[in-house]
């Protein structure tokens, strides 16, 4: 996560000048606590949906079209990365030095993405480590963030020489100042839409490679022969990933497996229907190539909001811009979805999905800005702020399950006689006599709250993990 970090100076990338004070006269920038809190909320949501989404499908990913709570996490991260790019790179005057820093951070993100999601660690439930290179998963959350970060950061570096400190009056003046950003964004959108609706998708076949499936080794055929289709089996996003990445390097448990066409327990996971179509058994990469290209737009929108924070000096002026633009984005996305023009779809990262989730990110951030940076209710959100200041650590240890896998590795006689399993069973599930409620409370208190306390202690000690 490109800007999910902090450093020991406490004057890291997320900074903003005091209101009504020129940027060039500042010696000590003021930290934007609301951005740390928003980042912490997003990491907490990721933990919640990853570990409780199976029991509560309404907070897990939508099987295909639609938008559940989990579907806001990735766009929120990209929005935050965009804002942080604007705030961070303005403090690096040397263009070559900035480029070197961006490239190095991109490589670090790619490394951690492959390490955590490529298949090496099977924590916390399977206490194994390693991956067959013929089956490594090349794409993932951090890889998508790395691509968006690289493109948008380089764009910001090469276009900032033409920028000015003082904006002329007018709502659209900031758009004119950064017009190259929007030209690139429009280009990204054109490429994505052209590929999505113009690519011919032929029939395809696959062999089930999930060794836990009763159909392991069985071959299935999927009939397509269409162009511009947005259904699960025959869209251009999946086709490009199958051709470029290869079926063996794609995600084997896509959310579409919980759709009504595949299982009678939809939206829960469960055995497939007897008449389930063949594509239900196939792989699909939710962080694939074409969908990652369109995801760059989420970061460009976040970058714009960071520019507003830099150039507009008054709280009211900033909020007016943020809230109006966020509202327009949300309404536009909803109209596209409910008119059946372009459905909301996280797996395809459609335009309507970009609009709704980026608009929601704008409104959520604006709410935190009002409560924290204006009304000074910062202490209410301290647990989220602590997580946001050490978010890479919390992501790796909690969301990626590394810490839970380590703890579960110490057991007595049987792998299920481990501390975490015991806590879930006896303190949460057993007390509430409900697996669903118990798992939800376990995630909130034993994971999110626990890591907020750990992050608070590390913050007090001045210890941070940054990329």
């Amino acid at each position: 996560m490109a800007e999910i970090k902090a450093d020991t100076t406490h004057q890291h990338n997320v900074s903003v000048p005091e209101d009504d004070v020129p940027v060039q006269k500042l010696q000590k920038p003021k930290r934007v606590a609301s951005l740390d809190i928003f980042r912490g909320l997003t990491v907490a949501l990721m933990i919640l949906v990853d570990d409780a989404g199976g029991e509560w499908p309404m907070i897990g990913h939508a099987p295909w079209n639609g938008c559940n709570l989990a579907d806001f996490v990735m766009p929120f991260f990209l929005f935050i990365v965009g804002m942080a790019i604007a705030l961070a790179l303005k403090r690096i005057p040397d263009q070559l030095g900035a480029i070197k820093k961006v490239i190095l951070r991109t490589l670090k993100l790619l490394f951690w993405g492959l390490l955590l999601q490529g298949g090496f660690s099977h924590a916390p439930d399977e206490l194994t480590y390693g991956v067959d290179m013929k089956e490594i998963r090349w794409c993932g959350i951090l890889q998508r963030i790395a691509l968006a970060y690289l493109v948008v950061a380089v764009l910001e570096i090469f276009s900032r020489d033409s920028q000015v400190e003082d904006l002329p009056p007018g709502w659209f003046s900031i758009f004119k100042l950064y017009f190259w950003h929007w030209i690139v964004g429009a280009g990204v959108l054109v490429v994505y839409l052209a590929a999505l609706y113009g690519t011919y998708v032929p029939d395809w076949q696959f062999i089930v490679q999930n060794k836990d499936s009763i159909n392991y080794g069985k071959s299935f055929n999927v009939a397509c022969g269409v162009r511009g289709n947005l259904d699960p089996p025959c869209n251009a996003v999946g086709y490009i990933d199958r051709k470029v990445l290869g079926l063996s390097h794609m995600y084997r448990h896509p959310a579409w497996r919980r759709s009504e066409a595949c299982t009678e327990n939809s939206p829960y996971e469960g055995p497939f229907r007897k008449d389930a179509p063949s594509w239900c058994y196939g792989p699909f990469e939710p962080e694939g190539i074409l969908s990652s290209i369109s995801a760059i737009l989420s970061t460009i929108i976040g970058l714009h909001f960071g520019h507003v924070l830099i150039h507009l000096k008054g709280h009211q002026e900033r909020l007016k811009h943020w809230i109006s633009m966020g509202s327009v984005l949300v309404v536009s996305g909803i109209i596209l979805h409910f008119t059946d023009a372009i459905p909301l779809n996280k797996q395809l990262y459609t335009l309507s999905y970009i609009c709704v989730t980026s608009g929601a990110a704008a409104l959520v951030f604006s709410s935190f800005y009002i409560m924290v940076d204006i009304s000074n209710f910062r202490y209410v959100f301290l647990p989220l702020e602590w997580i946001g200041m050490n978010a890479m650590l919390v992501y790796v240890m909690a969301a990626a399950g590394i810490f839970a896998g380590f703890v579960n590795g110490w057991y007595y006689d049987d792998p299920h006689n481990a501390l975490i399993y015991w806590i879930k069973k006896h303190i949460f599930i057993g007390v509430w006599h409900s697996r669903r409620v118990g798992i939800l409370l376990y995630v909130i208190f034993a994971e999110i709250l626990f890591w907020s306390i750990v992050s608070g202690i590390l913050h007090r000690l001045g210890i941070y993990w940054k990329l």
Side-chain angles (χ1 to χ4, degrees):
M1 297 172 190
E3 297 300 325
I4 300 178
K5 69 181 192 65
D7 61 32
T8 54
T9 66
H10 294 269
Q11 294 180 9
H12 56 80
N13 296 344
V14 185
S15 58
V16 64
E18 295 278 5
D19 289 335
D20 304 318
V21 179
V23 177
Q24 61 269 26
K25 295 182 180 180
L26 275 171
Q27 298 298 323
K28 294 183 179 180
K30 179 184 177 183
R31 188 183 188 94
V32 185
S34 51
L35 192 56
D36 279 329
I37 292 168
F38 187 23
R39 183 188 291 113
L41 172 68
T42 306
V43 175
L45 285 178
M46 174 175 280
I47 298 171
L48 178 67
V49 301
D50 282 352
D51 295 345
E55 300 294 332
W56 298 85
M58 66 286 297
I59 69 173
H61 290 291
W64 194 245
N65 289 338
C67 201
N68 293 349
L69 182 62
D71 300 310
F72 287 89
V73 173
M74 172 59 76
F76 279 14
F77 273 132
L78 294 174
F79 181 92
I80 293 167
V81 168
M83 285 199 70
I85 287 173
L87 296 167
L89 294 183
K90 74 182 183 67
R91 301 179 61 213
I92 305 177
D94 177 24
Q95 189 177 80
L96 181 60
I99 292 174
K100 288 180 179 178
K101 184 174 182 179
V102 166
I103 292 175
L104 179 60
R105 183 168 294 158
T106 300
L107 293 175
K108 289 179 180 179
L109 285 165
L110 291 173
F111 168 77
W112 280 104
L114 286 175
L115 189 66
L116 295 173
Q117 288 194 284
F120 294 91
S121 172
H122 305 282
D125 298 319
E126 298 180 33
L127 305 178
T128 57
Y129 180 88
V131 64
D132 184 345
M133 290 301 293
K134 293 193 301 183
E135 301 178 355
I136 187 173
R137 184 183 172 198
W138 296 116
C139 296
I141 295 170
L142 293 182
Q143 294 93 312
R144 170 170 286 178
I145 292 176
L147 173 64
Y149 172 74
L150 176 64
V151 172
V152 177
V154 170
L155 174 64
E156 176 76 354
I157 291 170
F158 282 104
S159 64
R160 66 182 179 180
D161 288 343
S162 61
Q163 298 163 15
V164 296
E165 292 294 347
D166 297 322
L167 287 177
W171 198 82
F172 290 100
S173 60
I174 194 166
F175 291 96
K176 294 178 182 178
L177 179 62
Y178 295 96
F179 71 96
W180 276 111
H181 295 182
W182 297 108
I183 290 176
V184 171
V188 167
L189 182 60
V190 168
V191 170
Y192 169 75
L193 292 177
L196 183 66
Y197 290 101
T199 302
Y200 176 79
V201 181
D203 299 347
W204 57 288
Q205 62 180 14
F206 63 94
I207 297 175
V208 177
Q209 297 179 339
N210 183 7
K211 296 181 180 180
D212 296 329
S213 173
I214 59 174
N215 292 297
Y216 174 66
K218 185 176 179 180
S219 178
F220 288 91
N221 295 308
V222 181
C224 289
V226 295
R227 194 187 308 272
N229 190 289
L230 301 187
D231 291 336
C234 300
N235 58 78
V237 172
Y239 171 68
I240 291 173
D241 289 337
R242 291 192 295 271
K243 297 299 289 184
V244 178
L245 302 175
L247 285 164
S248 60
H249 299 289
M250 295 169 63
Y251 188 52
R252 297 180 186 174
H253 305 282
W256 74 28
R257 296 166 64 93
R258 294 186 286 106
S259 63
E260 293 182 1
C262 296
T263 175
E264 295 178 351
N265 295 333
S266 180
Y268 293 91
E269 294 184 7
F272 283 160
R273 301 164 59 104
K274 293 181 180 180
D275 60 346
S278 57
W279 54 264
C280 292
Y281 300 89
F284 184 85
E285 182 51 68
E287 279 85 38
I289 297 171
L290 186 57
S291 57
S292 292
I293 291 176
S294 65
I296 293 172
L297 288 170
S298 296
T299 311
I300 291 177
I301 294 172
L303 180 70
H304 173 77
F305 277 71
H307 291 152
V308 171
L309 191 61
I310 293 171
H311 290 287
L312 304 186
K313 301 303 187 290
H315 293 313
Q316 186 175 359
E317 194 176 4
R318 291 168 178 168
L319 287 169
K320 187 184 298 183
H321 191 104
W322 287 337
I323 294 174
S324 59
M325 185 173 175
S327 300
V328 169
L329 285 170
V330 170
V331 171
S332 299
I334 291 174
I335 291 174
L336 287 172
H337 177 73
F338 284 102
T339 57
D340 295 326
I342 302 177
L344 283 167
N345 192 296
K346 187 264 182 187
Q347 316 297 321
L348 303 179
Y349 220 100
T350 57
L351 177 59
S352 58
Y353 173 74
I354 293 170
C355 291
V356 168
T357 54
S358 297
L363 297 177
V364 171
F365 172 74
S366 298
S367 300
F368 280 132
Y369 187 82
I370 293 171
M371 291 185 288
V372 176
D373 292 296
I374 297 178
S375 302
N376 294 317
F377 291 140
R378 182 174 178 176
Y379 290 101
V380 177
F381 302 102
L382 273 179
L384 293 178
E385 184 177 358
W386 292 334
I387 292 176
M389 295 173 70
N390 230 325
M392 187 63 190
L393 173 70
V394 179
Y395 170 77
V396 171
M397 292 298 174
I402 300 301
F403 180 76
F406 173 79
V407 174
N408 281 345
W410 300 82
Y411 58 86
Y412 183 79
D413 187 48
D414 184 271
H416 287 87
N417 289 331
L419 178 61
I420 288 180
Y421 289 118
W422 188 91
I423 291 174
K424 283 183 182 179
K425 180 178 179 180
H426 297 284
I427 296 181
F428 290 96
I429 297 175
V431 169
W432 291 91
H433 303 289
S434 169
R435 178 173 177 81
R436 296 183 73 214
V437 175
I439 290 295
L440 180 63
L441 293 177
Y442 167 81
V443 173
I444 293 173
F445 291 101
E447 290 194 77
I448 297 174
L449 183 59
F450 170 79
W451 283 106
S452 70
I453 295 172
V454 171
S455 299
I457 294 172
L458 293 176
H459 168 60
R460 188 66 179 263
L461 297 174
I463 300 173
Y464 306 91
W465 181 0
K466 66 175 183 176
L467 291 183

